[in-house]
Amino acid sequence: MALKNTFLFKILKYGSVVCGSPRSGRAATAAILGRSPFRYYYNNAGKPSSRGAGGTSHARVVDLRSDTVTKPGPAMRQAMAEAEVGDDVMGEDPTVNDLQQIAADLFGMEAAIFVPSGTMSNLIAVMVHCRERGDEMIVGDLSHLHIYEQGGSAQLAGVHSTTVTTLPDGTFDLKQLEAKIRHGYPDPHYPRSRLICVENTHNIQGGRVLPLPFLQEVRALADQYGVSLHMDGARLMNAAVAQEVPPSAILQHTHTVSVCLSKGLGSPVGTVLAGPRDFISKALRCRKALGGGMRQAGILAAAGKFSLENMIGRLVEDHRNAKTFALALLDCKPPLFVVDVSAVETNILRFALQDSTMTPQEFCTRMSEVGEDEEAALGQGVQVLMYPHFGNSVRAVWHLGISAEDTRLAIQKMRFVASRYFTEIIK
């Protein structure tokens, strides 16, 4: 009741929901977007429906659930249709071979291998780096590899994980990281430290870009203790565009990298794993064992080639649109949202709601439905799809399917939802 009375005071003070602008500080943002005891990541909230709550069947859908929802456009489909193919398990698919060479050159690596998914790619990297069952890798406690990949490193590879605390910018405390590296091998009581994994950009922390000096220091630690450094670079290209450097400038500090082609780069499927030539030859064996050997895969590899050759430069548009929406959240009066705009570095936005009576689940539901009188207020029904996310927050992700106009409509819908919410409180 106290919280609701506080918001009633804000409504009476500010009036209706308009563009205005108190700025929330980083401390408040960190407090609300902090860690939660609940493992609340993805669910079915915000799935598109053919009809909204207002009965319309022609709502405009703005899908901000993930950059995995992208669909290949006509030019990419044409490249796929015209792809020259062969048997890739025999090493005879020319389009796959071209993709792998293009990726290796772009990443500054000796060789690369095309695999079906990022999860398989990361698992293969763990299997090759951690050569014996019972070896250990060090990962961030909020990393995709640790949380979203079903513990495959333990389940399938017999590799033990130990975690370091993921900081808000996606980095680790280097002293804590160093303390996690075991020195007792071959003492039979302990696993052997073999691998450090970093994630760039960092998914759960809102698309944060790992600073180059941090990567340099982590690599120095890895070299000092004789362990390998693997980067889960599912959104590496977003990091490179944000830092205005070639991917190789980032990857010079890692031994291996996994780069997804089916997120912001727009391919329908596929990931490239890159590293030293000897590493990739071992990765080929692991891919086969995991069922990832594909035959005439050039049809898919053609999309990957198109992505690497044509889709990297446009990522800046996604970053710009995400920032635009973040600024609009802060311009809401009375203040309802908490977001640190300085942390919006790429295409992923995490934000929270100040009022505990409006949960992330409820907000996402309201955004995904077409409310009463919405068409009269906005000129059309708009369904904006987002996910309730980690730490009592909401996650929205921009991609090639979301234009500046879509972003404008999402802002209009957000203001409509906020206005209706505050009107309900007054009543």
Side-chain angles (χ1 to χ4, degrees), residues 77-99:
R77 288 176 181 268
Q78 181 178 355
M80 296 171 70
E82 297 175 354
E84 185 179 357
V85 299
D87 192 321
D88 182 48
V89 174
M90 298 181 182
E92 297 175 356
D93 190 303
T95 308
V96 172
N97 293 338
D98 285 348
L99 168 64

Side-chain angles (χ1 to χ4, degrees), residues 90 113 155 177 238-239 283 329 377:
M90 298 181 182
I113 185 172
Q155 183 181 166
L177 175 61
N238 292 90
L329 291 173

Side-chain angles (χ1 to χ4, degrees), residues 168 201-208 343-350:
T201 64
H202 200 284
N203 180 4
I204 283 183
Q205 297 295 36
R208 298 303 298 269
V344 186
E345 297 175 329
T346 56
N347 65 320
I348 302 177
L349 169 63
R350 274 187 68 209

Side-chain angles (χ1 to χ4, degrees), residues 363-380:
F363 176 76
C364 290
T365 298
R366 289 180 181 231
M367 290 289 286
S368 68
E369 295 177 346
V370 177
E372 294 182 8
D373 302 325
E374 180 178 325
E375 292 188 29
L378 303 183
Q380 64 179 311

Side-chain angles (χ1 to χ4, degrees), residues 104 106-111 125 129 172 195-200 210-223 227-234 236 239 243 246-259 272-276 279:
L106 184 62
F107 303 155
M109 298 288 185
E110 290 182 357
H129 284 302
F172 314 138
L195 178 64
I196 299 170
C197 297
V198 294
E199 183 177 333
N200 194 20
L210 298 186
L212 294 177
F214 167 75
L215 292 173
Q216 185 176 10
E217 291 179 290
V218 174
R219 176 59 183 267
L221 268 180
D223 290 345
V227 300
S228 298
L229 176 58
H230 172 69
M231 177 178 287
D232 176 359
L236 172 71
Q243 291 179 319
S248 57
I250 298 173
L251 298 176
Q252 65 179 316
H253 304 301
T254 71
H255 293 98
T256 58
V257 66
S258 170
V259 179
V272 174
L273 176 64
F279 172 90

